[in-house]
Amino acid sequence: KPILLHGHERSITQIKYSREGDLIFSASKDNQPNVWYSLNGERLGTFQGHNGAVWCIDVNWDTTRFLTGSADNTCKLWDCETGKNLNTLDVKNAVRSCGFSYSGKLLMYSTDKTMGHPCEIHIFDVSDSSQMSTFTGSGEPMMRIPISGSKITSAVWGPMEEYIVAGTETGEICQYDVKTGEKIHEVREHSKQIKDLQLSLDSTMLISASKDTTAKLFDTASLDHMKTYKTERPVNSAAISPLQDHVVLGGGQEAMDVTTSSTRIGKFDARFYHLIFEEEFGRVKGHFGPINSLAFHPDGKSYSSGGEDGYVRVHYFDQEYFDYRFEF
């Protein structure tokens, strides 16, 4: 039986585990990100200060700092332990994706292309007080990468902090060099908007979830397309298991079309595929609406899904899941 976490009034936008996996961070279209114990689902606290939907979150390597990007045109840095807001980075438009680099020394966020302002990636050095201080500093990033073409919908740090991998509204996946700001590489394997990008545990593989009803597996460094996982509905999120050769996909129809269909058909299931054989071998029911975000526990023994219904569901795998072997 899954643990149901109900602390949000509106649909979930993103969930993240801390590196040890003891905490789950969740963000939603209400303005308060939450943090929970992953073991029993107890809510540890909330981060209060945003005035709009929180689109993206990230937590650093040693779980001391927490980053949130919101539709209220700010990106905020928090102290994980106390919930205190340390910095507020003001932007001209909504922040769509954000993340800490592996060391936690750099942070980046990407902005929307609205109100006549272009889509940009901003990179900050967390330890540099002139960049981070909202009172004394200029609040200017150390690197500003303007994005020509369609806006970025999801972005993650590549390994070794050398580049950022970004997915766009029209389906391209691009790499941007952190030092020069140039676009190093671009592939176009998807035909529609990319909703989510996630890395494998060792950062060698990247999985993309797209509105074109597929999730695809790429080599992170070369962006070579390796595998495709097909469904019948838009995929909102996909994650790679750190333990088994498995991926999980979540999605469903657009939220506005949901009332015209029954939940029994299995439109909103989390679907498990074999990483290599691309075959679906299991589904987990539960949500009353599309799944917006998925994340595996770092030990691979459980996973969480956040849906349009505002619930986060934490599923612990049965022993059968670990015993299950593909015949080949």
Side-chain angles (χ1 to χ4, degrees):
K1 193 167 162 52
I3 304 171
L4 284 176
L5 312 183
H6 188 52
H8 293 289
E9 295 162 7
R10 297 185 59 198
S11 53
I12 306 292
T13 51
Q14 196 171 26
I15 39 185
K16 280 270 167 85
Y17 278 92
S18 62
R19 186 177 56 96
E20 287 88 4
D22 56 337
L23 299 176
I24 299 174
F25 294 86
S26 62
S28 84
K29 289 184 184 170
D30 62 25
N31 47 20
Q32 287 184 8
N34 287 349
V35 53
W36 319 75
Y37 286 115
S38 63
L39 192 66
N40 57 4
E42 184 187 339
R43 180 156 72 170
L44 188 59
T46 55
F47 297 90
Q48 297 176 339
H50 277 297
N51 299 322
V54 179
W55 289 122
C56 55
I57 52 175
D58 198 19
V59 57
N60 69 349
W61 193 75
D62 53 3
T63 323
T64 52
R65 297 282 181 270
F66 179 58
L67 188 66
T68 56
S70 167
D72 64 5
N73 300 4
T74 61
C75 188
K76 288 182 187 280
L77 186 67
W78 312 79
D79 184 306
C80 267
E81 192 179 4
T82 60
K84 187 165 157 271
N85 183 12
L86 303 172
N87 291 94
T88 299
L89 305 168
D90 288 309
V91 208
K92 302 266 196 324
N93 33 17
V95 177
R96 183 61 59 177
S97 61
C98 64
F100 284 105
S101 65
Y102 185 71
S103 66
K105 292 192 170 76
L106 301 174
L107 65 86
M108 65 90 186
Y109 59 79
S110 74
T111 62
D112 270 358
K113 187 170 158 184
T114 47
M115 322 262 288
H117 296 292
C119 169
E120 292 182 326
I121 298 177
H122 293 181
I123 301 169
F124 285 85
D125 184 337
V126 180
S127 54
D128 184 353
S129 58
S130 69
Q131 293 174 31
M132 296 302 294
S133 171
T134 34
F135 307 108
T136 57
S138 59
E140 272 298 303
M142 70 177 225
M143 187 79 206
R144 191 186 288 257
I145 306 174
I147 307 299
S148 54
S150 58
K151 74 165 188 185
I152 287 176
T153 48
S154 180
V156 289
W157 280 92
M160 314 299 276
E161 309 183 2
E162 291 168 352
Y163 52 85
I164 288 168
V165 185
T168 68
E169 205 169 29
T170 48
E172 291 95 3
I173 296 178
C174 313
Q175 284 176 350
Y176 293 95
D177 190 299
V178 172
K179 293 187 175 67
T180 63
E182 288 169 8
K183 187 192 286 187
I184 325 168
H185 209 49
E186 178 179 344
V187 292
R188 180 156 186 183
E189 294 287 345
H190 286 292
S191 56
K192 289 186 179 165
Q193 179 183 342
I194 290 169
K195 301 283 283 184
D196 187 28
L197 293 174
Q198 289 195 33
L199 295 169
S200 60
L201 185 65
D202 59 2
S203 298
T204 55
M205 295 183 293
L206 171 84
I207 192 164
S208 60
S210 168
K211 269 188 168 171
D212 66 6
T213 72
T214 62
K216 300 196 178 198
L217 191 71
F218 295 90
D219 180 283
T220 312
S222 65
L223 289 188
D224 288 339
H225 172 228
M226 298 192 288
K227 301 285 174 189
T228 301
Y229 311 99
K230 297 188 179 74
T231 67
E232 310 81 61
R233 295 180 185 80
V235 184
N236 292 339
S237 187
I240 303 171
S241 167
L243 184 65
Q244 311 269 53
D245 286 334
H246 296 162
V247 296
V248 59
L249 272 56
Q253 304 152 286
E254 292 291 318
M256 55 191 177
D257 307 333
V258 165
T259 47
T260 59
S261 64
S262 148
T263 51
R264 276 203 307 270
I265 311 169
K267 291 191 157 75
F268 311 128
D269 300 356
R271 305 168 72 156
F272 285 83
Y273 287 75
H274 195 279
L275 180 82
I276 295 153
F277 301 128
E278 308 178 356
E279 284 177 27
E280 185 182 349
F281 65 86
R283 292 189 185 191
V284 179
K285 288 190 179 59
H287 283 284
F288 291 103
I291 293 175
N292 291 339
S293 185
L294 287 164
F296 268 103
H297 190 289
D299 68 4
K301 293 179 180 168
S302 64
Y303 83 100
S304 298
S305 57
E308 193 72 29
D309 52 7
Y311 282 92
V312 176
R313 299 172 75 95
V314 184
H315 297 263
Y316 279 86
F317 294 121
D318 302 329
Q319 190 53 44
E320 296 163 18
Y321 169 83
F322 303 106
D323 298 340
Y324 179 65
R325 290 285 174 269
F326 258 81
E327 293 173 12
F328 58 89

